[in-house]
Each structure stands twice: as C-alpha cells, then as structure tokens.
Amino acid sequence: QVQLVESGGGVVQPGRSLRLSCAASGFTFSDYGMHWVRQAPGKGLEWVALIWYDGSNKYYADSVKGRFAISRDNSKDTLYLQMNSLRAEDTAVYYCAKDRGSTSPYFDLWGRGTLVTVSS
Amino acid sequence: DIVMTQSPDSLTVSLGERATINCKSSQSILYSSNNKNYLAWYQQKPGQPPKLLFYWASIRESGVPDRFSGSGSGADFTLTISSLQAEDVAVYYCQQYYSTPPTFGQGTKVEIK
C-alpha cells in the first residue's frame, strides 16, 4: 500500500549526529519531491528540507542549513536526513512527506514520524 | 519568509454546530499567471501525522467529508466545518506553498463543547 515509514530516531547527545531514513512504497518514488517536516513536542509543524524528484536540487530551513543534509536513493525508494551538530532545539518528531509534484508542492502523504531527542 | 497566522488558537464548538478557522498570510499567495492560491489545509489528530484536507485553497482531497470546505483568496482564507462531528477533534494547520520555505500557521485546536 501507499506509505512512508521513517526510522533512525532516538536519543542523542548535543553535538552528535544521527541519520534518519524514510522508506517509500506503493508509488513511483522517483517521480516526486520529498520533504522532511518536524514537530517539537506540543508545538506546530516546521518544514525542514526538500529534495527534488531526481535529487538535483535541495533546499533547507535556515534553522538547519549547514548542519542537516537531505538525500535520496531512488533505486532503494528511500529518503534520508543526515543531522549533524545536533542541538536541544532539534528535539522533535521528524516526518517525511511526499509532495504531488513540482507544480503542486503540498504534502499529500506523510509518514508516522520518528522521534529525535537531543539531550545530555 | 511568508508568515501564516491562524485564528483563533483554539475553538470549542457543540456537536452539529459550525466551526470556522481563519488563516492569513503576510503577503498574497495568489499566483496571477494561473489564478491559483497556493494554500493547503491539514488535519492532525492526537498521535497521528497530519492529513491533507485541501489544496489550492478550496480543492477537497479525495475522501475528505463534504462537511469540510475551504475558501478565500489572496491573503485571507477560511476552513469551515459545517456540522462538527466527534471525529473532527484535531488541530488544523494552514500552509502556504507559494514560496520556499513552505510555512505553516501555528495551528487551531478544535474541541467539542
């Protein structure tokens, strides 16, 4: 069925790194832009990063630019988020989300999320 | 960045009554070349990911009940639930996709009176 499944979250100390993965199924992964969106505990939604369908372009929120890197492997239908120099304020549920295409960049499919806790 | 502001922050409505959520963008998100408003609405129930309700401000996503409607243009938008049901208890978010970064409103929590 059509779904996104995130993994890789956990508890990590400030300054350390973590890599999240998002496995896609049920649709042609390589046709769509993919995003990471996060939600701090009890807070609203914050967009984190976007990668185009072919990986040719990447965009980041100012809050993570230079620390996080989005990538994808279309042969494995998998999206990644490499998170370096983690801070307490990066603590959140991280969702991967699919958009409906470059001309329709709203999020029509979301994973259930993976929790990242940055704490010493 | 475009700032999205929702009102109210929370809403308590009786079952069967109307619920109205407003969303205002800091600049127009109507793209003149195609006359489309680059606005989406999402519903997030407790412990669940967000779910797309509307795109292009007023196009209902497949499977969304028709008691939900989206309206507005330019910089002012509204999500209306015509007859609130128990399963509509959730936080609702508007989001603009007119420019990068895409930005969300702070959310409106809808509860039953």
Side-chain angles (χ1 to χ4, degrees):
Chain A
Q1 81 249 39
V2 178
Q3 63 177 0
L4 298 169
V5 179
E6 302 92 338
S7 60
V11 180
V12 60
Q13 293 179 329
R16 305 298 291 264
S17 299
L18 205 60
R19 188 174 87 152
L20 306 183
S21 300
C22 170
S25 59
F27 64 97
T28 305
F29 181 71
S30 58
D31 281 352
Y32 298 98
M34 295 295 297
H35 305 250
W36 288 99
V37 178
R38 68 184 180 183
Q39 186 169 37
K43 302 298 184 182
L45 300 168
E46 180 189 16
W47 174 83
V48 173
L50 155 67
I51 186 168
W52 280 20
Y53 68 101
D54 59 356
S56 60
N57 284 284
K58 305 172 185 180
Y59 302 88
Y60 299 93
D62 286 346
S63 58
V64 307
K65 202 173 293 182
R67 299 188 300 122
F68 289 12
I70 190 171
S71 61
R72 65 191 297 160
D73 185 337
N74 285 346
S75 69
K76 296 182 178 179
D77 292 346
T78 302
L79 175 73
Y80 302 100
L81 185 68
Q82 178 67 44
M83 304 187 296
N84 300 327
S85 302
L86 281 161
R87 305 167 180 167
E89 55 264 35
D90 296 319
T91 294
V93 173
Y94 285 74
Y95 296 102
C96 64
K98 164 191 167 294
D99 69 33
R100 195 163 271 172
S102 60
T103 59
S104 304
Y106 48 85
F107 312 127
D108 67 348
L109 179 67
W110 297 68
R112 296 200 65 84
T114 187
L115 176 62
V116 173
T117 303
V118 184
S119 174
S120 54
Chain B
D1 297 0
I2 297 176
V3 177
M4 307 298 291
T5 304
Q6 293 181 227
S7 61
D9 289 335
S10 64
L11 192 55
T12 305
V13 177
S14 300
L15 287 172
E17 295 300 304
R18 178 184 298 262
T20 301
I21 300 169
N22 299 300
C23 173
K24 192 175 185 68
S25 55
S26 59
Q27 66 181 73
S28 175
I29 53 175
L30 171 64
Y31 195 41
S32 56
S33 66
N34 60 11
N35 201 37
K36 287 184 173 182
N37 289 284
Y38 282 57
L39 184 100
W41 287 99
Y42 301 88
Q43 175 194 63
Q44 186 177 33
K45 296 182 178 180
Q48 296 185 19
K51 171 189 170 184
L52 177 65
L53 295 179
F54 290 91
Y55 53 97
W56 304 126
S58 61
I59 307 298
R60 193 180 295 109
E61 177 71 341
S62 176
V64 173
D66 61 7
R67 64 180 179 274
F68 289 90
S69 62
S71 63
S73 186
D76 289 285
F77 301 91
T78 300
L79 174 70
T80 302
I81 310 172
S82 61
S83 176
L84 191 74
Q85 304 299 305
E87 60 265 32
D88 301 334
V89 168
V91 179
Y92 293 84
Y93 295 93
C94 60
Q95 177 237 331
Q96 67 79 20
Y97 48 96
Y98 182 90
S99 64
T100 300
T103 47
F104 294 88
Q106 79 276 19
T108 295
K109 186 173 186 178
V110 175
E111 297 174 301
I112 304 293
K113 187 181 292 181

